[in-house]
């Protein structure tokens, strides 16, 4: 069995890899993320996932390295992680009562072999009142999450429905990754 490295500090990605039964280690990519100019959300997540995987793979050439990146996009505009509680509130107001897209890019790198793909999930929010938004932001959960919410946590009550892979919204389309990994392990 090949050595597998997850190039991500995300506890959610780690949890999903464990759920799928992988024996792996975590080594975070120490990179400055470079986003291609005028890139689509799909191109952004694929590029960042590849940058992370390649950075770790350069130091661990024998290993199968998995990099990943997730963004939330509303009307084609990427909503990153909020920098303040005010920005988190603004993001949540913009998502209120609307459907947005969550894109997760994944890169698998082992030596010269590379697979790079993304998954897309539509997420519809219930209409949210200001008090509900402020109460959720006060939990602190939105502050390290793309789009200012975590579907697997307290943010679960904001979501009316999803169309696509739930785990993609958590940060790793694990079933798709599992199938793509068959060429590596």
């Amino acid at each position: 069995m090949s050595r597998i490295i997850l190039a991500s500090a995300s506890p959610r990605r780690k949890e999903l890899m464990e759920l799928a039964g992988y024996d792996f280690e975590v080594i975070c990519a120490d990179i400055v993320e470079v986003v291609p100019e005028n890139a689509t959300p799909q191109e952004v997540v694929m590029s960042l996932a590849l940058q992370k995987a390649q950075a770790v793979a350069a130091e661990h050439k024998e290993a199968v390295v998995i990099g990943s990146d997730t963004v939330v996009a509303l009307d084609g505009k990427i909503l990153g992680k909020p920098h303040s509680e005010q920005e988190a509130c603004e993001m949540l107001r913009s998502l209120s009562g609307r459907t947005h897209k969550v894109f997760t890019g994944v890169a698998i790198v082992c030596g010269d072999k590379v697979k790079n793909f993304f998954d897309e999930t539509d997420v519809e929010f219930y209409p949210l009142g200001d008090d509900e938004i402020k109460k959720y932001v006060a939990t602190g959960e939105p502050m390290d999450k793309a789009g200012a919410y975590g579907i697997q946590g307290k943010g679960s009550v904001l979501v009316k429905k999803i169309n696509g892979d739930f785990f993609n919204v958590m940060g790793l389309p694990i079933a798709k990754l599992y199938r793509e990994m068959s060429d590596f392990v």
Side-chain angles (χ1 to χ4, degrees):
M1 186 72 147
S2 301
R3 178 178 174 213
I4 299 172
I5 298 173
L6 175 62
S8 173
S10 165
R12 290 156 301 282
R13 290 187 184 115
K14 182 178 183 285
E15 178 186 342
L16 292 172
M17 290 285 291
E18 290 167 348
L19 204 67
Y22 287 111
D23 181 18
F24 66 99
E25 58 190 290
V26 173
I27 300 176
C28 296
D30 185 20
I31 63 165
V32 175
E33 295 182 355
V34 179
V35 178
E37 200 171 319
N38 300 319
T40 65
Q42 299 92 318
E43 292 166 340
V44 168
V45 293
M46 287 179 57
S47 175
L48 293 175
L50 187 58
Q51 289 173 44
K52 293 172 186 178
Q54 287 176 327
V56 172
E59 302 294 319
H60 304 276
K61 296 184 186 331
E62 81 296 345
V64 176
V65 180
I66 300 164
S68 187
D69 195 79
T70 302
V71 299
V72 170
L74 181 64
D75 300 328
K77 180 181 178 245
I78 293 175
L79 304 180
K81 295 177 182 177
H83 296 99
S84 66
E85 287 188 358
Q86 180 183 339
E87 188 178 10
C89 288
E90 290 168 7
M91 283 185 193
L92 292 166
R93 275 187 209 98
S94 72
L95 297 173
S96 174
R98 300 192 59 203
T99 299
H100 61 275
K101 294 184 178 297
V102 177
F103 297 98
T104 298
V106 179
I108 310 168
V109 177
C110 184
D112 293 335
K113 191 172 187 178
V114 176
K115 276 202 174 182
N116 197 199
F117 61 91
F118 74 92
D119 202 18
E120 174 182 339
T121 303
D122 290 334
V123 180
E124 182 182 348
F125 268 24
Y126 282 103
L128 309 174
D130 267 352
D131 286 346
E132 184 177 14
I133 289 171
K134 287 176 186 169
K135 183 178 174 186
Y136 176 55
V137 171
T139 69
E141 184 177 89
M143 300 316 294
D144 71 336
K145 309 278 190 295
Y149 76 96
I151 196 168
Q152 74 286 350
K154 294 172 179 68
S156 59
V157 299
L158 311 176
V159 178
K160 184 174 183 180
K161 66 180 176 182
I162 71 167
N163 183 17
D165 184 346
F166 172 81
F167 298 113
N168 182 57
V169 184
M170 276 181 66
L172 193 64
I174 193 65
K176 193 170 188 174
L177 172 63
Y178 185 84
R179 280 147 185 80
E180 297 291 344
M181 284 286 285
S182 65
D183 291 342
F184 290 85
V185 293

